[in-house]
Amino acid sequence: AQKITQTQPGMFVQEKEAVTLDCTYDTSDQSYGLFWYKQPSSGEMIFLIYQGSYDEQNATEGRYSLNFQKARKSANLVISASQLGDSAMYFCAMREGGGGSQGNLIFGKGTKLSVKP
Amino acid sequence: ETGVTQTPRHLVMGMTNKKSLKCEQHLGHNAMYWYKQSAKKPLELMFVYSLEERVENNSVPSRFSPECPNSSHLFLHLHTLQPEDSALYLCASSQEASRAYEQYFGPGTRLTVT
């Protein structure tokens, strides 16, 4: 079974509007971390936002926020006020295990976001 | 330079060649990683080094040989590769190899095996 599921292969959004990219995860660990990365066409993976499983508040970083619903095992990324430069692949990832764990970072298949002018 | 750098950015090699990919991080991190990104597949972790010791090898074929001479440098030595090894190879580093630390990625090496 997939550990990270991103059900939207591609998304379109109008410039200046908000968009939500879906991510669900599967783990039996109590302690885990969730990450979102952006990969523009240049190839570099850019870290966007992190949510720990014990964090009570949803993570926010500028225009990025993570809608963390633990019971549903979902960690959707919300991008507000989309910009043309937001067009890229977006990957959700999870790392299982406790604080000292060297667990793998497991990635989803990604969602390609295209921002229309 | 800052962040994570990788060289070369593009590499074309024959199946009988030997080449090496280089990664360097300028972030003072203790952990480094090699990932493989093939078309239409999730990113696959290949190797993890923590404090210059290999702590993870995800069943990677022996034609890929990593080397971590110090905490700032990571190499991936390639020999007798197959066409299916063509992919984007990404290097990353993190403060520690643990759950809470985000990984910072380099720009990748686009490898084509002919």
Side-chain angles (χ1 to χ4, degrees):
Chain A
Q2 287 187 62
K3 290 269 190 175
I4 297 287
T5 302
Q6 294 180 253
T7 56
Q8 307 150 315
M11 290 275 289
F12 286 92
V13 65
Q14 200 67 40
E15 192 180 6
K16 299 181 185 177
E17 292 186 351
V19 63
T20 297
L21 306 183
D22 295 342
C23 173
T24 57
Y25 59 92
D26 181 26
T27 182
S28 55
D29 282 5
Q30 296 300 309
S31 181
Y32 51 89
L34 297 159
F35 303 80
W36 276 93
Y37 285 86
K38 171 185 178 182
Q39 187 179 39
S41 55
S42 58
E44 184 175 354
M45 297 280 278
I46 302 166
F47 166 72
L48 295 178
I49 196 166
Y50 165 78
Q51 179 87 42
S53 58
Y54 292 119
D55 294 342
E56 294 185 353
Q57 306 249 347
N58 285 345
T60 59
E61 288 286 348
R63 293 187 299 111
Y64 304 108
S65 60
L66 201 150
N67 184 0
F68 181 45
Q69 298 188 39
K70 196 170 182 177
R72 293 186 176 186
K73 293 189 175 178
S74 79
N76 298 341
L77 177 70
V78 180
I79 306 174
S80 62
S82 298
Q83 301 172 356
L84 296 178
D86 294 334
S87 295
M89 284 291 290
Y90 287 82
F91 292 93
C92 179
M94 175 177 67
R95 196 159 201 185
E96 296 171 298
S101 167
Q102 293 165 345
N104 292 349
L105 198 62
I106 304 164
F107 284 82
K109 291 186 177 180
T111 295
K112 184 174 182 179
L113 178 67
S114 300
V115 180
K116 297 188 287 186
Chain B
E1 283 200 76
T2 58
V4 182
T5 57
Q6 288 186 244
T7 54
R9 294 294 308 276
H10 300 272
L11 178 62
V12 179
M13 59 186 288
M15 288 190 283
T16 58
N17 291 158
K18 289 184 181 181
K19 296 285 184 183
S20 295
L21 310 185
K22 179 183 175 183
C23 175
E24 185 173 358
Q25 60 96 0
H26 309 269
L27 300 167
H29 288 166
N30 291 324
M32 296 187 77
Y33 312 78
W34 279 118
Y35 287 88
K36 175 183 178 183
Q37 188 177 29
S38 306
K40 300 182 181 178
K41 289 176 72 174
L43 217 61
E44 300 169 73
L45 179 69
M46 300 175 72
F47 301 103
V48 181
Y49 276 81
S50 177
L51 297 172
E52 300 145 46
E53 289 200 17
R54 191 191 310 179
V55 296
E56 188 89 29
N57 176 347
N58 257 9
S59 304
V60 180
S62 60
R63 56 186 185 269
F64 295 92
S65 174
E67 179 191 0
C68 187
N70 55 62
S71 59
S72 298
H73 293 86
L74 185 66
F75 294 90
L76 189 62
H77 304 299
L78 317 170
H79 63 99
T80 59
L81 294 192
Q82 305 297 312
E84 60 264 29
D85 296 323
S86 298
L88 181 68
Y89 288 84
L90 290 161
C91 172
S93 71
S94 66
Q95 189 171 335
E96 292 180 17
S98 74
R99 171 183 61 86
Y101 294 102
E102 64 268 25
Q103 295 177 17
Y104 292 87
F105 285 78
T109 295
R110 176 73 61 186
L111 174 67
T112 303
V113 181
T114 59

